[in-house]
Amino acid sequence: MSHSEHEAPIHRTSPRRMGKMLAIIIGIQIVGGLLFFSHYDFWNSYLPIAGKLQEQGAITGGAAQGQATGKTVNVSLKFIESPDFKTYAFNALSGQDRNPEIHANVGDKIIFDVTNSGKSFHAFAVTDSKEGPGPAIEGTTVGTADNPMKPGAKGQATFVPAKAGEYYYICAVPGHREMGMEGKIEVSEASSAGATSGATVTPTGNKVEFSLSFVMSTDFKEYAFNALPGQPGHNPDIKVKSGDTVTIHIKNDSKSFHSFGVVTDPDNPTNVLWNSAFKSPDNPMKPGESGDVTFVAGAPGTYHYICTVPGHATMGMDAKFIVE
Amino acid sequence: MVLELQKPRPVWQIMFSTHHTDVGYLYTVTSLAFLFMAGVLAMVIRTHLFFPGEGVLISDSVTFNRIFTVHGSTMLFLFALPFAAGIGNYLVPIMVRYKDMAYPKLNAVAFWMVPVGGALVWLGFSDTTWVAYAPYSIIRAPGPAADMWIFGMKILGISSILSSINFIVTILRCKHPDLPLRRVPLFAWSMLTVSLMTVVAMPTFAAALVMMLTDRLGVSGFFNPAMGGDPIAYLHLFWFTFHPEVYIFLLPAIGMMYEIIPRFSRKPLFSQGSGVFAFVMLGLIGFASWGHHMFSTGMDFTTKTVFMIGTLAAVPASGMHVFNFLATMWGGRIRFDAPMKFMVGGIALFFSAGAGGVLNTAMPLDFITHGTYWVVGHMHLFLTGTIAFGFVGMMYYIFPLFTGRMYSEKWASIQFILMMWGTVQVFFTQHILGLEGMARRVYDYPTDFTSWTQLNQIATVGAWILGASFVIFLAQLIYYSSKGKEANMDDPFKLGGKYYYPYQAKTPHHTGY
């Protein structure tokens, strides 16, 4: 259809209308700009809740710093490179001094004195990841990959391991770890806590049997195994050898509900070791009920056999389970 | 603004109209406004990178991150998508010979979501980058900016789904009974393809946004590794939407080339059928290649191979388009007016960008180029070289329809030369920068690497040239829409054929009240 069929004249865009449109657009932009700049600090003012929770430790991602309770270990490290920039390392390019291995216990305070003695940019970090440039444990970094240590720069970082295991001190600049800037930190449990790793072991076939019963005082204030406190046979120590197949005959001689388990930490009854749980707090033994549980005792150490119903262990149903 | 055959209407009547020409006009103007706003940010970024180590214009890296985040989000969601929707609104009902879009009010609602989403994105000025990868975006990106970005994207996503539904229904159900679907002009076909793709692809991103929001609130941990989530899952959800989205940005530009090239070659289109086939192919293949954005995330070899082949499968279909253009131009009496110049330039750059993309999808090379300026160069070469060239050319072509006036051919040619020159200088240089190892999204780089400094400065000069071309574009749009020569509305380009004449304009507005 062509334009000639229309009788009315064509009204074309006029400067006035163009001006109106520009005024609307520019007006919106000015109002928006005023809003934006007058509240400049507001727009980026808070961390998301997930980030806040993480900072408070409600969500823990990976390894974290622990409480310093042990000795202080001083380590001095230098970033060095071979002249052809093909080999990177800490302290020495080869030999014993290269990437020295650090041994420490949980709670020890390891202080790193870091110097960039190379010609390139580096960043120091401690991580528990076995490969790649991180993630770094908070507070253990000197420089970052984005803002690295320049040649000659020095810094200090502190690392207090919270858990036993293998950690690594590395250069956090991507690629440098792979080229050799990586050293191991072996962290073992502090000696006072005993070597209660809770690890499972292969059964030796040796079988041992024990009998236990849950007992309670008539006023429901004292809880114990076999006999009330002060009476003979109260909370007997159970001694077994690592790898023994242990069978325990359990009887509930009390008027309340109970369940059985071997744990490392009686304050944390949910973490029952070696499938040693008999019943559970959700589905406990009723008064008078009895049963057997059979499990293989794991790594040597001093453990606890407890009533896993929350609160019962602290009220007395907590005795030693020693694995030799 | 829109060509008015009867007496001029008040501006508010255009703003609150639901007629497809008015909504299309609003879409176009809004998207152009956002184009120039985001363009200013691009100029700031490039000028900053001209002076390494001096912190010129941008004083800290967080501000730098915020600027490139908003630049990216705006160019993609507030320029490329609304511009295509604007031109589509204008032309699709005319092409399928229907009086309006199928759902006029829905159309207006879809448009009015764009400024709202835009306001959220621009007021917050988030620093998540336009991809907003977890875990940064969920545990560290400061609020309310990042939350506003999430809601802005959500609104823009809903807007594009609504307008897509509208296009699908208009084209499939409201086309003239005499017009078989295979004869529908290829621009309308491109809008049909991208609308179908949007409807399939966009909900995934919408879901990812909701998950991201609840993750930020700490109530869920879909992408939060500290709560057992997987950040890679976000990448899958994101790229399942945004690789198809690449074609959603691209295909309307290809459709505009189909609209303009035959007219200015003064020769019928070489093959309608192959164009339709290639659109549908690209629409399907677009969903088979999202994994190529994630080759370096530790995918297994078989998956990578599948995605590599899926990506390469886009080559024949893209080639069909290019050959269709060339065969149409072959032997034609070509008039190199501004729209045609931009389209031909766009085809040339489409070829270069596509060649870079093919290299990029080869797994071994991808490991070298990943996360470098190569990727920046590749993506921008597509977006500027093909999509913006197509859009600018279309803008010149449709200019008489919008204003009843002609632009200046001389200034349009100057703009074309500068734009072509600038595009090549910035984005080809960025490919080389990437191969030299410069990471993308960096705030600063060491001055000791002289070749980085030199290449960055070359790219920045290119960006200034590109910027100058857009200043000319803006000045022309403003000046010639009110002062330009009156256009001959039957055939403003003297091509001897029919121009779109808004024959519906006898009753041009059923305003929405």
Side-chain angles (χ1 to χ4, degrees):
Chain A
M1 217 179 280
S2 85
H3 135 86
S4 56
E5 289 180 18
H6 298 271
E7 306 91 28
I10 297 171
H11 289 271
R12 295 184 157 91
T13 308
S14 64
R16 212 179 129 77
R17 289 172 76 75
M18 189 67 204
K20 270 187 200 166
M21 187 196 83
L22 283 178
I24 292 171
I25 293 176
I26 295 170
I28 293 171
Q29 286 170 347
I30 289 174
V31 171
L34 286 177
L35 254 176
F36 177 71
F37 284 107
S38 61
H39 295 76
Y40 190 80
D41 293 330
F42 167 72
W43 308 112
N44 267 353
S45 52
Y46 57 79
L47 269 186
I49 295 166
K52 277 186 206 154
L53 289 176
Q54 212 141 321
E55 288 209 331
Q56 291 158 7
I59 309 169
T60 48
Q65 295 266 22
Q67 291 287 326
T69 51
K71 59 184 189 293
T72 304
V73 184
N74 279 304
V75 184
S76 124
L77 293 171
K78 286 197 202 79
F79 290 96
I80 51 167
E81 303 131 1
S82 64
D84 60 358
F85 293 100
K86 282 192 177 148
T87 317
Y88 287 42
F90 288 103
N91 288 4
L93 286 174
S94 59
Q96 280 223 314
D97 291 342
R98 180 174 188 270
N99 298 339
E101 197 167 311
I102 299 167
H103 295 274
N105 290 332
V106 169
D108 285 359
K109 189 174 184 181
I110 310 171
I111 299 175
F112 295 95
D113 277 307
V114 191
T115 313
N116 184 356
S117 309
K119 292 201 169 104
S120 163
F121 292 173
H122 298 291
F124 181 81
V126 176
T127 177
D128 64 340
S129 93
K130 294 200 184 315
E131 53 184 36
I137 295 165
E138 214 155 307
T140 63
T141 55
V142 182
T144 60
D146 303 333
N147 182 17
M149 298 169 74
K150 299 208 166 59
K154 285 180 190 200
Q156 204 175 58
T158 310
F159 172 49
V160 182
K163 273 194 284 192
E166 276 179 11
Y167 297 86
Y168 304 88
Y169 62 87
I170 56 163
C171 175
V173 174
H176 287 191
R177 181 178 187 178
E178 288 73 11
M179 290 164 89
M181 281 184 173
E182 172 191 47
K184 215 187 239 180
I185 307 172
E186 282 279 7
V187 177
S188 36
E189 287 290 344
S191 45
S192 60
T196 49
S197 69
T200 52
V201 296
T202 47
T204 53
N206 187 20
K207 288 185 180 156
V208 284
E209 293 188 21
F210 298 94
S211 295
L212 290 173
S213 67
F214 290 100
V215 292
M216 283 159 63
S217 64
T218 44
D219 60 358
F220 285 79
K221 278 188 181 156
E222 287 176 290
Y223 288 52
F225 285 105
N226 289 3
L228 290 171
Q231 295 170 3
H234 161 69
N235 284 358
D237 287 357
I238 294 180
K239 280 188 191 164
V240 297
K241 294 207 166 53
S242 180
D244 282 359
T245 306
V246 185
T247 304
I248 297 178
H249 311 289
I250 308 166
K251 190 154 189 283
N252 186 353
D253 284 332
S254 74
K255 292 196 168 131
S256 177
F257 293 170
H258 300 288
S259 55
F260 176 83
V262 177
V263 297
T264 11
D265 176 8
D267 294 337
N268 180 13
T270 52
N271 191 13
V272 177
L273 301 167
W274 315 317
N275 292 323
S276 62
F278 182 69
K279 299 280 189 170
S280 67
D282 303 335
N283 179 20
M285 293 170 81
K286 295 189 179 66
E289 205 177 324
S290 62
D292 290 353
V293 59
T294 304
F295 58 93
V296 178
T302 305
Y303 301 91
H304 299 258
Y305 66 90
I306 60 164
C307 173
T308 54
V309 174
H312 288 195
T314 39
M315 291 169 89
M317 283 182 175
D318 171 13
K320 279 187 179 149
F321 187 91
I322 300 157
V323 182
E324 292 165 334
Chain B
M1 229 13 146
V2 186
L3 178 63
E4 289 141 28
L5 298 175
Q6 292 161 0
K7 66 175 196 252
R9 291 168 289 154
V11 171
W12 64 264
Q13 221 178 61
I14 297 177
M15 284 177 72
F16 297 104
S17 162
T18 57
H19 193 254
H20 72 98
T21 55
D22 292 336
V23 176
Y25 167 76
L26 289 170
Y27 259 123
T28 312
V29 168
T30 312
S31 67
L32 287 174
F34 278 119
L35 165 71
F36 292 109
M37 286 160 74
V40 170
L41 297 184
M43 289 300 114
V44 170
I45 294 170
R46 279 315 322 168
T47 309
H48 169 80
L49 290 171
F50 191 90
F51 305 100
E54 291 177 38
V56 173
L57 284 178
I58 309 171
S59 55
D60 63 307
S61 53
V62 174
T63 313
F64 184 81
N65 296 349
R66 293 174 80 181
I67 290 176
F68 73 68
T69 300
V70 175
H71 164 77
S73 307
T74 306
M75 283 296 194
L76 296 175
F77 305 107
L78 296 166
F79 166 59
L81 286 180
F83 188 88
I87 302 293
N89 259 300
Y90 227 102
L91 298 186
V92 165
I94 298 175
M95 286 174 172
V96 301
R97 285 153 61 190
Y98 190 61
K99 61 183 190 298
D100 198 338
M101 294 291 283
Y103 307 116
K105 280 186 189 168
L106 189 71
N107 202 17
V109 168
F111 163 73
W112 281 104
M113 284 177 154
V114 172
V116 176
L120 283 170
V121 170
W122 273 77
L123 278 180
F125 235 77
S126 165
D127 67 342
T128 53
T129 79
W130 76 273
V131 292
Y133 280 173
Y136 177 77
S137 58
I138 54 177
I139 57 174
R140 276 291 175 278
D147 304 291
M148 289 166 74
W149 183 87
I150 291 173
F151 278 104
M153 286 299 125
K154 192 94 200 148
I155 289 171
L156 293 171
I158 293 169
S159 153
S160 80
I161 288 177
L162 293 183
S163 81
S164 298
I165 291 171
N166 219 338
F167 278 121
I168 294 169
V169 177
T170 311
I171 296 168
L172 294 182
R173 306 298 304 165
C174 303
K175 68 180 170 54
H176 197 279
D178 290 351
L179 180 70
L181 189 58
R182 64 193 155 79
R183 301 290 303 252
V184 166
L186 283 173
F187 175 70
W189 258 104
S190 75
M191 291 311 290
L192 178 63
T193 317
V194 302
S195 301
L196 289 167
M197 288 175 84
T198 306
V199 169
V200 177
M202 198 51 98
T204 316
F205 181 52
L209 283 174
V210 174
M211 292 186 215
M212 194 198 280
L213 188 70
T214 54
D215 275 11
R216 279 176 68 78
L217 295 172
V219 295
S220 65
F222 296 106
F223 312 129
N224 188 349
M227 290 172 77
D230 184 5
I232 300 295
Y234 176 77
L235 264 71
H236 277 290
L237 293 176
F238 182 86
W239 287 115
F240 180 79
T241 298
F242 281 94
H243 195 74
E245 198 81 6
V246 170
Y247 293 97
I248 295 173
F249 298 136
L250 173 71
L251 295 190
I254 300 282
M256 291 170 193
M257 292 178 180
Y258 274 121
E259 206 39 38
I260 287 172
I261 287 170
R263 287 165 196 257
F264 283 82
S265 305
R266 287 183 275 181
K267 194 167 159 268
L269 180 64
F270 175 71
S271 162
Q272 165 95 7
S274 79
V276 171
F277 179 76
F279 276 136
V280 176
M281 280 300 283
L282 280 179
L284 294 173
I285 289 162
F287 286 96
S289 45
W290 83 87
H292 70 221
H293 295 268
M294 306 162 52
F295 279 164
S296 59
T297 57
M299 273 183 169
D300 64 85
F301 187 79
T302 316
T303 321
K304 279 193 283 208
T305 313
V306 169
F307 281 123
M308 176 169 144
I309 293 169
T311 312
L312 290 174
V315 174
S318 310
M320 281 170 82
H321 286 308
V322 172
F323 282 116
N324 215 347
F325 296 143
L326 297 183
T328 305
M329 284 192 281
W330 188 265
R333 293 180 300 127
I334 304 175
R335 273 189 69 106
F336 276 109
D337 285 358
M340 187 64 171
K341 286 197 188 88
F342 280 97
M343 294 308 165
V344 174
I347 295 170
L349 293 174
F350 177 51
F351 181 78
S352 331
V358 169
L359 292 180
N360 223 1
T361 192
M363 277 179 268
L365 189 79
D366 186 82
F367 277 84
I368 299 171
T369 58
H370 185 88
T372 67
Y373 255 91
W374 170 288
V375 179
V376 178
H378 168 67
M379 166 197 190
H380 280 83
L381 194 56
F382 249 115
L383 284 162
T384 314
T386 311
I387 298 170
F389 267 69
F391 287 3
V392 170
M394 192 64 188
M395 195 59 218
Y396 279 123
Y397 182 63
I398 211 164
F399 191 78
L401 186 59
F402 273 17
T403 62
R405 296 175 187 276
M406 287 303 283
Y407 58 88
S408 151
E409 198 59 51
K410 185 179 89 184
W411 282 107
S413 303
I414 292 173
Q415 190 212 341
F416 170 73
I417 292 166
L418 292 181
M419 192 166 157
M420 190 79 187
W421 177 1
T423 305
V424 169
Q425 187 168 333
V426 196
F427 303 125
F428 282 39
T429 313
Q430 286 184 345
H431 280 75
I432 305 169
L433 254 180
L435 291 181
E436 294 214 346
M438 179 157 169
R440 62 178 162 178
R441 299 171 182 156
V442 290
Y443 163 68
D444 206 351
Y445 53 93
T447 43
D448 302 345
F449 298 136
T450 41
S451 77
W452 282 16
T453 314
Q454 284 163 358
L455 287 170
N456 264 299
Q457 290 178 345
I458 292 172
T460 300
V461 172
W464 289 336
I465 295 169
L466 190 56
S469 82
F470 274 95
V471 169
I472 294 173
F473 184 45
L474 176 65
Q476 275 211 83
L477 288 181
I478 293 173
Y479 182 81
Y480 289 100
S481 62
S482 53
K483 294 277 175 77
K485 267 203 321 244
E486 295 192 352
N488 166 16
M489 292 310 293
D490 286 324
D491 186 11
F493 293 93
K494 301 189 186 68
L495 300 171
K498 198 173 60 176
Y499 190 55
Y500 316 108
Y501 196 69
Y503 53 87
Q504 303 94 326
K506 269 183 177 170
T507 51
H509 36 83
H510 44 122
T511 38
Y513 50 84

